[in-house]
Amino acid sequence: MLFVAVLGAWPVPADAAAEGRALAQKLCARCHAIDPDAPWNSIGSTPSFMLMAKKLERYEQRILTVTSRRPHIAQRFSVSEDDLERILAYIRTLKRD
Ligand code: HEC
């Protein structure tokens, strides 16, 4: 699987993407469209997770460092690096073509 290869030794379980989806629902869906079945469910200016998947080379690092980026920095997210890896694993599954 691609994300396992990319992450190398990181101990992300096989169902990381499913866990990532649940985490995204809890932490990100308030402001981002995270689900291709509900693409309009977001606040105005946020990039959707589908867009991030499409432009992953641009967004990968931004996702992993999201807690220190505006506007998220003000949100005081408590999301671990492992959980961000899971969210990233979920986003990878949204990549089409
Ligand atoms: C309170 C609303 C809110 C929540 C919750 C939120 N975001 Fe965002 N996010 C935004 C906004 C607004 C932007 C657009 C910022 C901009 O245009 O500069 C954004 C942009 C981003 C970007 C692009 C950043 C960049 O520098 O280009 C990423 C990646 C991102 N969000 C990931 C996430 C993830 C992952 C979560 C869940 C852990 C999350 N966001 C939760 C509001 C939110």
Side-chain angles (χ1 to χ4, degrees):
M1 254 182 274
L2 183 60
F3 64 85
V4 174
V6 170
L7 296 174
W10 210 291
V12 176
D15 55 351
E19 293 177 11
R21 186 175 193 284
L23 286 161
Q25 223 143 28
K26 199 168 81 179
L27 298 170
C28 320
R30 194 150 56 86
C31 304
H32 290 266
I34 67 149
D35 186 334
D37 295 329
W40 306 279
N41 183 19
S42 74
I43 61 170
S45 63
T46 57
S48 72
F49 278 26
M50 288 66 79
L51 178 77
M52 292 182 203
K54 204 166 168 182
K55 303 190 186 291
L56 206 55
E57 58 300 336
R58 183 185 307 169
Y59 278 107
E60 182 165 352
Q61 281 312 310
R62 300 183 191 189
I63 293 163
L64 293 176
T65 58
V66 72
T67 52
S68 56
R69 305 183 82 92
R70 276 189 207 115
H72 312 86
I73 197 165
Q75 295 288 320
R76 300 174 205 283
F77 276 131
S78 89
V79 54
S80 67
E81 276 179 46
D82 280 12
D83 284 351
L84 286 174
E85 294 282 358
R86 290 183 175 89
I87 291 170
L88 182 58
Y90 166 61
I91 292 173
R92 279 186 214 288
T93 68
L94 301 176
K95 192 169 166 63
R96 299 286 176 259
D97 64 58

